[in-house]
Amino acid sequence: MLYYLFDYLEKEYQLPGASLFGFISFRAVMAILFSLVIATVYGKKVILLLQRKQIGESIRDLGLQGQEQKAGTPTMGGLIIIMATLIPVLLFADILNVYVILLIVTTLWMGVIGFIDDYIKIFKKDKKGLKGKFKILGQVVLGLIVGATLYFHPQVTMRDHDKSIITKQYEVEHVKGMDIKSTRTTVPFIKNNEFDYGNLIAWAGEGAKDYVWLIFIPMIILIVTAVSNGANLTDGIDGLAAGTSAIIVFTLGIFTWVSGNIIFSDYLDIMYITGVGELLVFVTAFVGALVGFLWYNAFPATVFMGDTGSLTIGGVIAVIAIIIRKELLIPVLCGIFFAESISVMLQVGYFKYTKKKLGEGKRIFLMAPLHHHYQKRGYHESKIVTRFWIVGIMLAIITVVTLKIR
């Protein structure tokens, strides 16, 4: 692993980036460059391989403009994203870091679930793919693994706040915060912006804190499942999921950088999470992979990511947000995913309700998810994607602003 080579050279010869965080930043830059090269150069080879194997998308007739031209476009392009992410991570990241391990497991786990789904659709000629209950089961198991690791693993700690105490001699003494186990998270837009999941069962007495995991882990499962499915629903037109996800992950990269830097985290009064700086290498590699994939996925797409990509993207985004304790920002930052999911739930729920009450199902949208509604209204998919990206950028700015506005 090049990580150990760089680590040795830096310590032996005092290379630029003498601080640990400077060293991390250098490796993060290398990771994004490598992932971009892998996704753009070798991505083309993967696309040609998919074409030779006739691994093409079978298109359902939804009555959408330009739909017929997409038939036969190679799918399973999520393999490009996974490859372009993991290779730089294995080269430049400390793979013994618990957070890096969690994200590698997430990438492979969700990638396998998505691959099985795409395989069934393409080779078994079953357009439904993997049954929904098995997808949900896979997401729940991943959420269980992530939640249990973050709660029980001894290396998952955060720095407690510095305190000032008055000694017996009536002198003020400043005490540095210690690394502690905690289930605190960040609540946006309020002054005292930290919330402890333990407060939800504090009413049960002092001993109840030993059972916080009964709330914490199910919450993690819910977040992983929701974001993964949201990304999956967003992947409906060329470049939408990849571009939106790149904006989201870049924003999470800013929070990762700040949360892993003790100086900036102290200045901005946010949680300093021990060891999370190493996550920056994974995040930058993931951004590079998404941007490189977008080169081929932008309209008109020469490859689709399939569930191999969309489920992986959603799972990784959820786990990054959870690790850096910014999961409660997801409804804002991942607003596009949220809107797509809500549109489907409203459409299905309203249709079933009106069919039961009136005997005939009615719809709120012309078609769900939301991007198909705008297609039905006659908007070209390039315009839809561009405007969704703009909204995504606006949401990202609002999310970053929460660092100081409370």
Side-chain angles (χ1 to χ4, degrees), residues 71 77 156 235 250 263:
V156 178
D235 181 35
F250 179 81
I263 297 172

Side-chain angles (χ1 to χ4, degrees), residues 21 24 99 185-189 193 246-266 268-281 283-284 287 317 319-334 392-406:
F21 205 77
I24 291 173
Y99 302 121
T185 189
T186 304
V187 182
F189 306 116
N193 67 331
I247 295 166
I248 293 170
V249 177
F250 179 81
T251 308
L252 289 174
I254 295 173
F255 282 97
T256 302
W257 187 79
V258 172
S259 298
N261 186 310
I262 194 166
I263 297 172
F264 282 101
S265 60
D266 182 61
L268 294 168
D269 192 26
I270 65 171
M271 300 174 191
Y272 171 70
I273 304 172
T274 311
V276 86
E278 193 63 34
L279 211 60
L280 191 63
V281 179
V283 172
T284 52
V287 170
I317 287 173
V319 174
I320 293 173
I322 291 164
I323 288 173
I324 62 175
R325 310 301 172 107
K326 299 294 181 288
E327 66 270 21
L328 298 185
L329 282 167
I330 285 176
V332 180
L333 179 58
C334 301
I393 292 170
M394 292 167 62
L395 293 172
I397 292 169
I398 292 170
T399 304
V400 172
V401 164
T402 63
L403 283 170
K404 286 304 289 181
I405 294 182
R406 298 168 189 171

Side-chain angles (χ1 to χ4, degrees), residues 178-250:
M178 303 290 290
D179 289 341
I180 59 169
K181 295 289 295 179
S182 176
T183 53
R184 286 181 297 176
T185 189
T186 304
V187 182
F189 306 116
I190 64 173
K191 186 175 181 180
N192 298 316
N193 67 331
E194 291 184 4
F195 170 75
D196 194 330
Y197 288 106
N199 294 339
L200 295 175
I201 59 171
W203 54 269
E206 189 67 29
K209 289 190 176 181
D210 295 334
Y211 300 95
V212 179
W213 61 272
L214 292 173
I215 292 177
F216 181 75
I217 294 177
M219 187 69 178
I220 301 306
I221 291 172
L222 175 64
I223 293 167
V224 170
T225 304
V227 179
S228 182
N229 286 321
N232 188 233
L233 291 171
T234 304
D235 181 35
I237 50 181
D238 298 351
L240 179 57
T244 304
S245 300
I247 295 166
I248 293 170
V249 177
F250 179 81

Side-chain angles (χ1 to χ4, degrees), residues 130-149:
L130 185 65
K131 290 184 178 180
K133 62 182 179 182
F134 293 119
K135 284 186 188 178
I136 296 295
L137 177 62
Q139 292 162 342
V140 168
V141 172
L142 175 64
L144 181 63
I145 293 170
V146 172
T149 302

Side-chain angles (χ1 to χ4, degrees), residues 12-234:
E12 187 72 18
Y13 298 105
Q14 292 296 306
L15 294 180
S19 70
L20 174 62
F21 205 77
F23 180 42
I24 291 173
S25 299
F26 169 70
R27 290 182 289 114
V29 171
M30 295 297 293
I32 194 171
L33 292 175
F34 266 62
S35 63
L36 280 167
V37 170
I38 293 168
T40 52
V41 175
Y42 292 96
K44 182 64 176 178
K45 299 181 184 297
V46 173
I47 293 169
L48 293 174
L49 175 63
L50 294 172
Q51 287 174 335
R52 285 199 299 271
K53 298 293 184 180
Q54 296 183 334
I55 302 176
E57 183 79 6
S58 57
I59 304 295
R60 290 185 299 166
D61 185 13
L62 300 175
L64 298 171
Q65 185 180 3
Q67 188 180 14
E68 299 81 9
Q69 287 85 349
K70 296 179 184 290
T73 302
T75 187
M76 285 191 180
L79 292 171
I80 298 171
I81 298 172
I82 294 171
M83 175 181 68
T85 300
L86 292 185
I87 291 175
V89 167
L90 293 174
L91 287 173
F92 298 109
D94 178 6
I95 58 172
L96 299 180
N97 180 285
V98 62
Y99 302 121
V100 174
I101 293 171
L102 267 182
L103 282 171
I104 291 174
V105 169
T106 299
T107 304
L108 294 174
W109 185 279
M110 296 307 297
V112 168
I113 294 172
F115 182 86
I116 293 171
D117 186 58
D118 288 334
Y119 182 88
I120 292 171
K121 288 177 182 175
I122 296 164
F123 294 101
K124 301 297 182 181
K125 307 300 180 183
D126 184 351
K127 292 183 179 180
K128 293 182 179 179
L130 185 65
K131 290 184 178 180
K133 62 182 179 182
F134 293 119
K135 284 186 188 178
I136 296 295
L137 177 62
Q139 292 162 342
V140 168
V141 172
L142 175 64
L144 181 63
I145 293 170
V146 172
T149 302
L150 292 178
Y151 187 83
F152 293 108
H153 199 285
Q155 292 182 16
V156 178
T157 60
M158 65 175 62
R159 185 67 54 85
D160 198 9
H161 295 293
D162 295 345
K163 298 176 182 178
S164 296
I165 61 173
I166 300 177
T167 66
K168 291 181 179 180
Q169 290 75 31
Y170 299 101
E171 295 177 350
V172 177
E173 182 179 333
H174 298 286
V175 180
K176 283 286 183 183
M178 303 290 290
D179 289 341
I180 59 169
K181 295 289 295 179
S182 176
T183 53
R184 286 181 297 176
T185 189
T186 304
V187 182
F189 306 116
I190 64 173
K191 186 175 181 180
N192 298 316
N193 67 331
E194 291 184 4
F195 170 75
D196 194 330
Y197 288 106
N199 294 339
L200 295 175
I201 59 171
W203 54 269
E206 189 67 29
K209 289 190 176 181
D210 295 334
Y211 300 95
V212 179
W213 61 272
L214 292 173
I215 292 177
F216 181 75
I217 294 177
M219 187 69 178
I220 301 306
I221 291 172
L222 175 64
I223 293 167
V224 170
T225 304
V227 179
S228 182
N229 286 321
N232 188 233
L233 291 171
T234 304

